[in-house]
Amino acid sequence: MERLSGLDASFLYLETPSLHMHVALTLTFDPSTVPGGYSFDRMKQSIEARLPAAPVFRRRLVEVPFRLGHPVWVDDADFDIDYHVRLAAVPEPGGLRQLADLAGDITGRPLDRARPLWEMWIVEGLAGDHIGFIAKMHHSTVDGVSGAALLAVLFDLSPEPAPDAVPPEQPVDQRVPSGLELMSQAMVARSLRPIDMTRDLVRTGRRVLNVRRVRLDPRNRAPHAKAALPLSAPRTSFNGALTWRRSVALTAIGLDDVKRLKNATGTTVNDVVLAVCTGALRNFLLEGDELPGKPLVAVVPVSVRSEVDDPRGSNQVSTMFVQLPVEVDDPLDRLQAIHDGTLGAKEEHEALGPDTLITWAEHATPNFFVNAARLYSRMRLADRHRPIANLVISNVPGPDVPLYLAGAELESGFPLGPVMDGMGVNITIMSYRGTLYWGIHASPDTIPKIWNLTAAIPLALDELLGAAGESPAAYRSEAAAAAVRASGIEIDRTGAGTEIEMEETETEETEMEETEMEETEMEEQS
């Protein structure tokens, strides 16, 4: 039995019928490397054989009666691999758009809390006999770094699978604690809370004064040289209350191109990624005639796993609020403003302390947070106040070596973070073998043209490269090129991206051609 940390439990408390707090991953595989050939059963068996090495896959929740304390994890005595690993297929032509549509359908459904909080879907029907893979796991179980560690359990470094995981020598304790036992433990923890809270109030007060000193430092008086403040974001069309529906769009850019730009401008990879996001969002907002006159605000999760000496919990993250100057016309000026702003945001984050969010999450009162989240969602309060922030942007480091699942080579990996109420789009980026793969997760009821935003990402990179005097982007892998094409960009022979018409225009052209054919047939019949 293991009690959830306050931060892990908060992802459960925030969940509502329209707010799903799971993270997801959409992958594509080349099965030609599988010894003996691909089959769904073989891939499922390979996954099942690795589960003993990661007990997280076999644990389920047990709630404390009356929500007097945070839930606990116990081993699932009725674990069923057939429930968790499933087979699906996409329609023709089996491209990334069809895979993204399936991912949106899967991520729009909540996980069953009576079972271990994860699902995996093996997807057949992709073009070229390739295999898709969609996994979702509750955020109470993993963050970006711990999720990447789980990949190491399931994947191999060569097509020849490594030996299966060795089960623990001692049998796993499958005893479910009684309600009385859980309540007793919760009451003991509550009795210590006033002492802990007093200590944390004093420490946090000192840290807030440190943040104030950093913000008043003369070096941070430039407009963009500070962290953004919550509730300072301008309202856009995608900053409203959510429904349960989700949509997904995928694209990719080359890490080498990002590094070229970083070196040419004296910034960082994260600065360039945020600048690409800003340029894409600017084009998207201009297209909708809703460009604000002030910066957008992005919530940027920050891993503090190496800074916080606290073994409790799966999530070791904090957050920064970063300004995205979409109102600035010059792309290099936007990049410089982001560089200055992230430096200021990091200084303020360090002054506040990397463990502040984790510390105060321990004081979360389950009943209050659950009821408040449901009331906020049911009354659609996100439509009635200024946005806390406009969107979430997360950058997750991935492996730079080939990975294999049951012998199939991993080609591309698109991460998907949760969409929050009032922030109808989440942009998550993961690196793999020299390519940055972008997963855009959204509420289609607040941002229906998600692929228009996705199509603007490679173009925003080219805009920055051109402004810096660099050659256009070159896509390092076929999987990256396919992702760019799926988002509405055509790749020419030099590797540069050029804009093509979106699906809506292609549909109109097809309808015009059909109408002309019908008119010709009528004239011939006459």
Side-chain angles (χ1 to χ4, degrees), residues 135-218:
K136 67 176 182 180
M137 202 165 197
H138 203 278
H139 215 324
S140 61
T141 303
V142 292
D143 60 14
V145 174
S146 59
L150 286 179
L151 286 180
V153 173
L154 296 178
F155 288 78
D156 297 304
L157 298 177
S158 72
E160 293 294 333
D164 295 339
V166 178
E169 294 182 4
Q170 298 296 328
V172 177
D173 181 11
Q174 295 181 339
R175 183 184 64 88
V176 178
S178 67
L180 181 61
E181 182 182 353
L182 290 172
M183 287 192 294
S184 300
Q185 293 175 352
M187 295 305 295
V188 170
R190 289 168 72 95
S191 67
L192 299 175
R193 185 173 297 172
I195 299 173
D196 294 338
M197 188 172 290
T198 301
R199 180 195 63 212
D200 293 336
L201 275 171
V202 173
R203 183 171 59 177
T204 302
R206 293 171 180 169
R207 291 178 174 182
V208 169
L209 292 176
N210 291 338
V211 173
R212 184 174 182 272
R213 281 194 289 269
V214 170
R215 289 188 71 87
L216 294 177
D217 191 307

